């Protein structure tokens, strides 16, 4: 407190303290406590709903993204009747053209929507995904040009010569026919 | 495994909620009179002041978890209570009628609530009512529980110098309205 305060100010402050010195009723705190307790558990719900909502939205978003991603990878139509011959593999440009031929799946349409009906209309065509057709095309190109690392399955016991020749699977074990004598004991004649 | 983790998480969440409840309870107990008096300083009716203070506590409870700095609870509560009290006063038609009475006519504060209220107190309240809000809340808070300038500044979240100037202005206006001077003090 300032020692040189105006006595009028001191009187004023004293009067103010006197008129504001009013106590609430004896039941006030109990009533407030009761009303607060009657409120819904706001912060328990509040603690949960925001993280839960964020998690739910994230899960739905991830699920939606995965669905869209899988639909984007729906197989394109490729013509097997135009598959490259062993003598001369189809150049990449041609294979790409075949794989994304507009008559099979127009650019504006999702390929997954029409592939069933298109396949029914064109029985000579089969569904091959773009990534698979690319892999096959690359593989055939490399094989025809004699370069590239041999795939793992070429380490099989049989040799790989002509990639389009019929594969002969050697017998891994010699099988001799079994001869079983007919059972005669205990059998009524 | 997942059930255990969920159970532990639930218990932790419930434990945190219990801690918050206990903390709020403690703050409410120590601040109940302050909130009531702030409301009373505006409304001057015990029932109304209790209702407003109760509403302030309910709102505070609802938003308590958002209050990161618990030390500011009292300031938060004071401002909320003062605002609610002003809103109630403005919307109260009975008070609108009373405020229409000329300032020279001192309202009667009868009944058991104001048994000790005399003419001087009524005049003082009338003068406080005539103050702008910023001065009014400062002078009311300074009169509650012997709050000094620093405490009032903390409650209003304004610099101490601002509180000083507001208190000075409020006292000057009250003295002018009541025509209190050094020679007239009793």
């Amino acid at each position: 407190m300032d020692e040189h305060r105006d006595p009028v100010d001191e009187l004023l402050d004293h009067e103010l303290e006197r008129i504001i010195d009013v106590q609430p009723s004896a039941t006030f705190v109990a009533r407030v406590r009761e009303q607060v307790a009657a409120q819904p558990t706001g912060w328990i719900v509040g603690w949960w709903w925001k993280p839960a909502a964020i998690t739910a939205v994230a899960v739905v978003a991830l699920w939606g993204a995965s669905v869209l991603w899988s639909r984007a990878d729906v197989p394109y139509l490729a013509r097997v009747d135009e598959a490259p011959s062993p003598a001369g593999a189809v150049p990449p440009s041609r294979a790409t053209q075949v794989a994304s031929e507009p008559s099979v799946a127009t650019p504006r349409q999702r390929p997954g929507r029409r592939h069933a009906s298109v396949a029914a209309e064109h029985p000579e065509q089969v569904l091959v995904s773009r990534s698979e057709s690319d892999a096959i095309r690359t593989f055939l190109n490399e094989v025809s040009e004699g370069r590239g690392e041999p795939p793992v399955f070429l380490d099989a016991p049989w040799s790989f010569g002509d990639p389009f020749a019929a594969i002969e699977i050697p017998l891994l074990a010699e099988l001799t026919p079994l001869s079983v004598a007919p059972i005669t004991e205990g059998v009524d004649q | 495994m997942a059930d255990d983790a969920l159970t532990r998480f639930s218990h932790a969440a419930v434990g945190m909620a219990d801690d918050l409840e206990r903390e709020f309870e403690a703050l409410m107990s120590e601040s109940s009179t302050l909130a009531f008096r702030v409301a009373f300083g505006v409304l001057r009716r015990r029932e109304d002041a209790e209702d407003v203070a109760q509403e302030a506590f309910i709102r505070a409870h609802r938003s308590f978890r958002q209050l990161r700095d618990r030390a500011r609870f009292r300031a938060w509560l004071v401002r909320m209570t003062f605002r609610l009290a002003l809103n109630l006063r403005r919307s109260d038609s009975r008070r609108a009628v009373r405020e229409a009475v000329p300032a020279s006519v001192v309202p009667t504060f009868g009944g058991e609530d104001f048994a000790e209220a005399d003419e001087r107190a009524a005049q003082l309240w009338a003068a406080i009512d005539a103050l702008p809000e910023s001065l009014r809340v400062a002078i009311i808070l300074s009169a509650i529980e012997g709050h000094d300038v620093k405490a009032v500044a903390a409650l209003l979240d304004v610099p101490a110098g601002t509180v000083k100037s507001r208190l000075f202005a409020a006292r000057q206006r009250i003295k002018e309205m009541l025509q209190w001077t050094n020679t007239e003090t009793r």
Side-chain angles (χ1 to χ4, degrees):
Chain A
M1 281 289 186
D2 188 356
E3 292 177 1
H4 305 289
R5 287 195 68 194
D6 184 352
V8 178
D9 283 353
E10 287 188 8
L11 175 63
L12 180 59
D13 286 348
H14 177 73
E15 285 293 314
L16 285 168
E17 287 176 15
R18 187 178 68 81
I19 65 171
I20 204 76
D21 187 22
V22 181
Q23 294 294 331
S25 62
T27 59
F28 170 61
V29 176
R31 191 152 48 89
V32 170
R33 192 174 287 130
E34 185 182 334
Q35 290 294 320
V36 166
Q39 293 296 308
T41 53
W43 56 50
I44 292 179
V45 174
W47 255 101
W48 286 87
W49 81 265
K50 278 185 181 173
I54 291 170
T55 306
V57 168
V59 167
V60 169
L62 285 174
W63 177 78
S66 68
V67 167
L68 290 176
W69 186 269
S70 64
R71 286 198 177 180
D73 199 29
V74 161
Y76 278 69
L77 286 174
R79 294 176 186 277
V80 290
D81 55 352
E82 292 182 16
S85 64
V90 176
S93 58
R94 174 60 182 153
T96 307
Q97 180 192 350
V98 169
S100 58
E101 189 168 316
S103 62
V104 176
T106 55
R108 289 292 177 188
Q109 291 175 328
R110 286 189 172 181
R113 296 283 174 90
R114 289 191 62 223
H115 73 266
S117 60
V118 170
E121 293 168 7
H122 304 279
E124 73 280 5
Q125 298 174 344
V126 294
L127 293 174
V128 180
S129 72
R130 175 176 289 174
S131 58
E132 189 176 353
S133 69
D134 289 346
I136 291 172
R137 187 178 65 242
T138 305
F139 170 69
L140 292 178
N141 286 338
E142 290 184 353
V143 167
S144 64
E145 294 169 14
R147 60 185 174 84
E149 292 291 327
V152 174
F153 68 83
L154 293 182
D155 293 332
W158 59 86
S159 61
F160 187 84
D162 183 357
F164 298 98
I167 298 174
E168 293 180 2
I169 301 176
L171 291 175
L172 300 179
E174 188 78 20
L175 297 178
T176 55
L178 294 175
S179 60
V180 179
I183 299 173
T184 55
E185 289 182 6
V187 177
D188 295 335
Q189 295 293 329
Chain B
M1 195 70 154
D3 287 347
D4 287 349
L6 186 62
T7 305
R8 280 199 299 274
F9 181 64
S10 303
H11 287 169
V14 170
M16 290 175 75
D18 287 345
D19 290 346
L20 279 174
E21 287 284 359
R22 277 192 290 273
E23 194 176 0
F24 183 82
E25 167 69 27
L27 290 170
M28 186 182 76
S29 296
E30 73 182 34
S31 309
S32 59
T33 303
L34 172 65
F36 166 77
R37 285 180 176 170
V38 168
F40 184 83
V42 176
L43 298 167
R44 237 103 66 235
R45 287 173 60 91
R46 177 173 279 157
E47 297 83 5
D48 289 349
E50 289 188 357
D51 287 346
V52 162
Q54 177 179 301
E55 176 63 21
F57 275 116
I58 289 172
R59 292 187 182 198
H61 176 261
R62 208 175 290 151
S63 309
F64 186 57
R65 67 181 178 82
Q66 297 169 358
L67 183 67
R68 300 194 185 282
D69 185 2
R70 302 287 192 257
R72 301 171 74 97
F73 177 80
R74 283 165 67 87
W76 186 45
L77 183 71
V78 161
R79 288 197 293 272
M80 191 156 45
T81 306
F82 187 71
R83 190 56 51 193
L84 285 170
L86 285 178
N87 290 345
L88 178 63
R89 180 167 178 154
R90 284 173 186 148
S91 64
D92 193 340
S93 59
R94 291 169 298 175
R95 294 195 185 278
V97 171
R98 203 190 77 187
E99 285 169 358
V101 175
S104 58
V105 179
V106 177
T108 303
F109 292 87
E112 67 277 10
D113 289 346
F114 290 94
E116 65 176 18
D118 55 9
E119 186 180 346
R120 193 181 183 91
Q123 288 175 343
L124 194 50
W125 278 125
I128 291 171
D129 284 348
L131 292 174
E133 282 178 22
S134 59
L135 303 187
R136 201 187 325 173
V137 68
I139 199 76
I140 288 172
L141 286 176
S142 72
I144 295 174
E145 299 171 7
H147 286 144
D148 58 9
V149 170
K150 194 176 172 186
V152 175
L155 288 173
L156 294 179
D157 202 15
V158 294
T162 305
V163 172
K164 269 185 184 173
S165 64
R166 286 182 186 177
L167 288 177
F168 178 79
R171 289 188 184 109
Q172 287 299 112
R173 289 200 189 191
I174 289 172
K175 285 190 288 188
E176 285 171 10
M177 280 185 273
L178 298 179
Q179 296 181 333
W180 283 11
T181 61
N182 277 329
T183 56
E184 291 181 70
T185 53
R186 44 178 182 175

